[in-house]
Amino acid sequence: MMPDLGWERGSDDLPRAHLPPERLPSGVAALRQAGFDYLICLSGVDRGEARQVVYHLRDTARHREVALYVDVPSRREEVPSLTDQFRAADWPEREVYDLFGVRFAGHPDLRRILLPETFLGHPLRKDYREDDPEVAPEGEPELPAAPDEMWINVGPQHPSTHGVFRMLLKLSGETVEGCRPCIGYLHRGFEKLAERRDYVQYQPYPDRWDYLAAMNNEHAYVGAVERLMQLEVPRRAEYLRVLATELNRVASHLLWLGTFLLDLGAMSPFLYTFREREMIMELFNELSGARMTYNYLRIGGAAHDLTPELARQIRAFLPYFHRRLAEYEALISDNEIFLARVRGVGLLPPDEALNRGASGPLLRASGVDWDLRRDRPYGAYPELSFQVATASTWDLHGRYLVRLAEMRESCRLVEQVLDGLPEGPHRAKVPVRVRPPAGDTYFAVESPRGELGVFLIGDGTDHAWRLKIRAPSFMNLMSLEPMLQGHLAADAIAILGSIDILLGEVDR
Amino acid sequence: MPEAFGILTLATLGGALGVVLATDVVHSAYFLVLAFLGVAGYYFLLGGEFVGAVQILIYAGAVAVLFLFAVMLTRRRADPVWGRSPARWLGVGGAAALLAWLLLTHLERHPWPTKLPPPAPHNTALIGKALFRPFVVPFEVVSVLLLAALVGALLLARKEGGAS
Amino acid sequence: MPSLGDFLAVGAGLFVLGLFGALMKRTAVAVLMGIELMLNAANLNLVAFAAFSGRISGQIFALFVIALAAAEVAVGLAILLSLFRSRATVRMDDIDLLKG
Amino acid sequence: MGQPYLRLAAAALILAAFVLGTAAFLVWFERKLLGRMQVRPGPNRVGPGGLLQPVADILKLTVKEDILPEHADRPLFRLAPLMAFVPAFAAFVVLPFGPGLVSADLNIGLLWILAVSTVSVLALIAAGWASNSKYALLGGMRAAAQMISYEVPLVLSLIGVVLAAGSLRLGRIVAAQAHLWFAVPQVLGFIVYLIAATAESNRSPFDLPEGESELVAGFHTEYSGVRFAFFFLAEYSYVFLAAAIATLAFLGGWSGPFLPPVVWFLVKTYAVIFFIIWLRATLPRIRIDQLLSFGWKVLLPLSLVNIFLVGLFRFI
């Protein structure tokens, strides 16, 4: 049963309700009662005269989604925090505070998250002026250290933080007793950029959100724009998108596998997985003309068609890759040291994973059978057959097995695309100036790292009023702290690696 | 030979002096290693190479590491190494000086042998035989004691309620 | 050629220095180090006597002393560690009571 | 009077050159081998087959800035690299490369090597402590815990050999294997030795003191330039030493048909080194708690069983 919050239908067919701030906690509690167990996305919006916070919630068992719109009172810009109901609200609320200046009453640790603590102003507000002074005179944030505590600073320059991630670990001996993650070193303002470029101009940017799964990012962006303008995409294009994104998933998982083993101290798999990843990059180079920032998926379809020669190459790659996968498994899967390092380490129980907004392989390895490709189908996925891999061990081993299985499934999908590629155009007729009607839409794809969503608000012009990126790495990183508790420093690195974060996407 | 003796004396007594005088306990520990190695050198000089090697293995290799471990686990920057009362300085210093004077003057009076008997060719084998024939009872007692010490140290150093 | 007396003199020096350190240092670890120095002095004498008398028993004694010293250090430092855990100090003056 | 000292100095010089040369060669050997195992060529620019790469590396390191961290314990920081290297050098003194090919044929040769090489852990602790860096300190502490734990099974695994040979002199140990390598009857001891020796020389999968995925570079995080080079060379000297002892104590030393003894010795030693490098290319790193419990709960009992078995066979 749905609690009655005054639902209406939005432009994207999602039930939505407008709530005053004081009714938000009870409304969300009622929704939780009704089975809504997942906070998908928490976005701040500046409507011009007032701020707004938008909550997307999901019922994973019954596949229902709703959106809640809360207008922030303009006298005192504060809304109740949801952190006591959804831990997933923690960082997103900090982000809204950081970028919009909206305060959340009851938030345990309301600090800036993406921008330095000394930053002045809130840059996603429409009244923010770029030529205002940006930062207060530099001050070093205090270490939360009592004299007898041992805090060790890991990152942002550290071999195993996978980029400019920084975490402060509180150690007792080598046991981790606490963790304070710090992010934002790679914040490049992609959400603000979307308000200054028109829809077509913005197309190359998603490549840079998560540069290891650029195709999947493109898919999320163009998908959202297409849904907003209600554009029909040719079937051939949808198939090409599956081809590109699934190959990209394999490439991304390969990189994860190599670096994860490197985190565990095994150096060779890294070089092996890069060999196969390189071949996929070459295929992408043929397909799109670029190795990293493809700009291949365009609004209305794909930039180029698949040539028969390239199809032949991809077809030849698949059996080769299966052999290599078997090789990896022979090297890694039964290795006693590997198993000792990954079994029972970094446990994330399913309810905790859902509550903290985890998604993708991290969520599935915690035993939650959820995959957007199957459960919120988009593109050509309803016409293709594939298995969703899950694991019930909740640990690092499960995450390894899930990603390995996903690589196999992605290959199966690629094979099906090659077999059943429909004839027709690879791109719809799209006007030179893309001008979707005013409206809101949330579109999400299953990226290699999890649910990559784009919450897009159009105002009828040729550029977005607001584009919010629901970054899976950002959300998954919130599960780091509970997983670390009580493990050793070496495990902390492995657990961090198992989440598969990408700082470009965490910080955006 | 006299040169070797001189170098070893320098190392041993210098090391011991360093242990006493160093203001940092970690430095003391490394000076202690120097003294241990010097003493091991004397053993080699005296033809007791087995004892010398054991001295290095146990003292420099194990005991010193234990010391360093203990220092690192219990160190507080504020802990003073010195800071005794002047009376104690005088008392202990005087007593030590007196003892040294007594020992050294007595040592000088006695006509000590200067000639080392030729070292036994099978020194190590002799030690082994001695250990297991005339000294077998003390040997076994020591081994039991070592076991007791091992268990005791483990129990003492164990954290309450958890293995460590 | 150094005589037996020279070795004994070094032993005496080592002993006196060890004694001085053991009595004057304030940290328990340093006190233990002084004691080790004294044990080494005794050992040096034992081995020197054994060598100059041409008999083996001095060396055997030295071996026993080394074994005992190792045990003593292990237990001593373990006691120190547990004291440190309960009192957070290794200063000798603060830990002169048998009962806490 | 001057004569023996001159000879001593000359011997020391030759030995030092040999130790440094071996370490440098091992660096090349490992990089080349790892390259081959990891589908890449390895060093191939400086000298034939990249053979001079280590020389170039050492040259580079000597001209690099020698950085002293702020608030470091200066004397200890400076001393630590030397402390790491000198014991390795001292151990090489008694290493026989063939019948009579030894600098000093001590009758307790094996014990000497074991004793001297244990001192090297003091260098790692000193480096970790003196650097005034938490990563280095953790590395130093790991080194201490690891060395103490693995020394026991290491020594015990060799006791079986000593028992069977009836001597600590390395030459006699080799001679005792004229008919049968000790690796055959004492296969248990051999395995324990290989594992413990890998751990003692801080090699993967036991390279925790420098485990770069969490501790950046462990005890030598703060080192640069020549001092870093010393740690580097010391590590490779210990690898050679560990392999050489395996050869002498378990693989029949320099004995073998046709080829001259020195060649046999080197061939066997490099076979063991190959194995150690192979491990590095294959295995992930073990965790500190697993490392310690493996040492105490698996290796120690196994080495005791080995001694018991050897004693039993001697008795029968």
Side-chain angles (χ1 to χ4, degrees), chain A residues 163-239:
Chain A
V164 283
F165 176 62
R166 174 179 178 215
M167 57 180 173
L168 295 160
L169 291 180
K170 184 183 166 200
L171 297 184
S172 155
E174 285 212 25
T175 311
V176 179
E177 289 190 330
C179 167
R180 242 170 84 118
C182 308
I183 61 170
Y185 295 94
L186 204 56
H187 180 60
R188 292 153 294 167
F190 278 126
E191 295 180 4
K192 184 78 175 174
L193 276 164
E195 299 169 16
R196 301 295 169 86
R197 303 281 183 278
D198 68 40
Y199 289 106
V200 178
Q201 279 176 330
Y202 194 71
Q203 274 182 155
Y205 286 87
D207 286 329
R208 278 106 179 142
W209 300 346
D210 172 353
Y211 31 82
L212 297 183
M215 291 288 190
N216 307 69
N217 285 252
E218 292 170 9
H219 199 180
Y221 172 69
V222 298
V225 177
E226 284 157 6
R227 186 173 284 185
L228 194 64
M229 58 197 288
Q230 312 211 313
L231 182 74
E232 188 71 29
V233 179
R235 275 188 73 226
R236 188 176 177 87
E238 291 288 14
Y239 269 70

Side-chain angles (χ1 to χ4, degrees), chain A residues 151 153-154 158-160 174 263-268 271-272 275 335 337 340-341 345 488 490-491 493, chain D residues 34 37-40 134-135 138 142 204-205 212-214 216 280-290:
Chain A
W151 284 85
N153 185 24
V154 183
H158 186 281
S160 304
E174 285 212 25
D263 289 341
L264 291 176
M267 61 190 302
S268 296
L271 292 139
Y272 298 150
R275 174 185 55 195
N335 184 303
I337 298 179
R341 288 294 308 272
V345 174
L488 294 169
D491 288 331
I493 298 297
Chain D
L34 276 183
M37 290 177 182
Q38 294 168 346
V39 288
R40 56 195 176 85
K134 288 171 183 171
Y135 288 114
L138 280 175
R142 279 183 175 187
S204 178
E212 78 273 353
S213 41
E214 57 267 11
V216 187
R280 176 168 175 200
T282 312
L283 295 177
R285 185 179 304 113
I286 196 166
R287 211 171 53 205
I288 182 80
D289 58 324
Q290 296 164 346

Side-chain angles (χ1 to χ4, degrees), chain D residues 14 34 40 67 104 111 135-136 140 173 230 235 262 279 290 315:
Chain D
I14 293 172
L34 276 183
R40 56 195 176 85
I67 299 166
L111 188 64
Y135 288 114
I173 291 175
F230 261 94
E235 182 186 325
V262 184
L279 283 184
Q290 296 164 346
F315 199 65

Side-chain angles (χ1 to χ4, degrees), chain A residues 48-112:
Chain A
E49 61 282 359
R51 260 55 61 191
Q52 200 174 44
V53 183
V54 183
Y55 303 83
H56 286 83
L57 294 156
R58 174 181 294 148
D59 176 351
T60 46
R62 264 155 275 174
H63 298 197
R64 296 181 298 177
E65 282 174 12
V66 294
L68 300 177
Y69 286 69
V70 174
D71 287 316
V72 180
S74 48
R75 288 169 286 106
R76 182 175 156 70
E77 300 207 6
E78 189 169 87
V79 291
S81 167
L82 283 189
T83 43
D84 49 347
Q85 301 196 52
F86 286 107
R87 293 302 304 270
D90 185 350
W91 286 15
E93 284 183 354
R94 282 175 63 188
E95 187 184 325
V96 173
Y97 162 69
D98 190 0
L99 303 178
F100 290 91
V102 176
R103 305 192 62 86
F104 290 85
H107 190 285
D109 183 28
L110 196 64
R111 286 178 297 125
R112 284 189 184 272

Side-chain angles (χ1 to χ4, degrees), chain A residues 210-361:
Chain A
D210 172 353
Y211 31 82
L212 297 183
M215 291 288 190
N216 307 69
N217 285 252
E218 292 170 9
H219 199 180
Y221 172 69
V222 298
V225 177
E226 284 157 6
R227 186 173 284 185
L228 194 64
M229 58 197 288
Q230 312 211 313
L231 182 74
E232 188 71 29
V233 179
R235 275 188 73 226
R236 188 176 177 87
E238 291 288 14
Y239 269 70
L240 286 177
R241 286 178 179 185
V242 171
L243 176 84
T245 54
E246 292 305 323
L247 271 180
N248 209 160
R249 188 185 314 277
V250 173
S252 174
H253 280 356
L254 277 175
L255 190 128
W256 171 82
L257 182 63
T259 52
F260 180 62
L261 266 295
L262 206 57
D263 289 341
L264 291 176
M267 61 190 302
S268 296
F270 180 73
L271 292 139
Y272 298 150
T273 57
F274 261 65
R275 174 185 55 195
E276 271 72 72
R277 180 169 177 271
E278 181 64 28
M279 300 174 88
I280 298 179
M281 310 271 271
E282 284 302 316
L283 294 175
F284 279 154
N285 200 1
E286 280 299 308
L287 185 66
S288 68
R291 287 168 47 88
M292 191 158 156
T293 47
Y294 313 113
N295 195 13
Y296 177 65
L297 304 190
R298 303 282 173 86
I299 297 168
H304 314 281
D305 205 353
L306 181 71
T307 61
E309 167 61 18
L310 185 58
R312 202 186 52 73
Q313 284 178 20
I314 295 174
R315 214 182 267 284
F317 171 75
L318 294 175
Y320 163 84
F321 181 66
H322 278 293
R323 279 202 307 280
R324 289 300 188 192
L325 260 186
E327 236 175 64
Y328 300 155
E329 287 217 81
L331 181 64
I332 303 164
S333 292
D334 297 323
N335 184 303
E336 287 291 336
I337 298 179
F338 173 74
L339 292 177
R341 288 294 308 272
V342 295
R343 278 200 179 140
V345 174
L347 296 184
L348 185 66
D351 42 343
E352 172 117 36
L354 281 171
N355 193 259
R356 286 186 178 262
S359 60

Side-chain angles (χ1 to χ4, degrees), chain C residues 43-83:
Chain C
N43 259 356
L44 180 57
N45 283 12
L46 284 172
V47 175
F49 275 122
F52 279 93
S53 68
R55 277 189 303 195
I56 204 78
S57 37
Q59 293 191 21
I60 306 281
F61 273 19
L63 285 175
F64 282 144
V65 172
I66 291 177
L68 290 182
E72 171 242 315
V73 169
V75 174
L77 292 178
I79 291 175
L80 210 82
L81 218 64
S82 60
L83 268 175

Side-chain angles (χ1 to χ4, degrees), chain D residues 10 37 46 62 82 96 120 173 195 222 243-244 269 286 300 312:
Chain D
M37 290 177 182
V46 192
T62 48
L82 267 177
S120 69
I173 291 175
I195 297 174
E222 304 293 340
T269 303
I286 196 166
L300 183 62
L312 205 68

Side-chain angles (χ1 to χ4, degrees), chain A residues 20 32 115 123 328 338 383 428 475 501:
Chain A
R32 265 165 66 92
L115 302 174
Y328 300 155
F338 173 74
E383 304 167 23
M475 302 295 281
I501 54 166

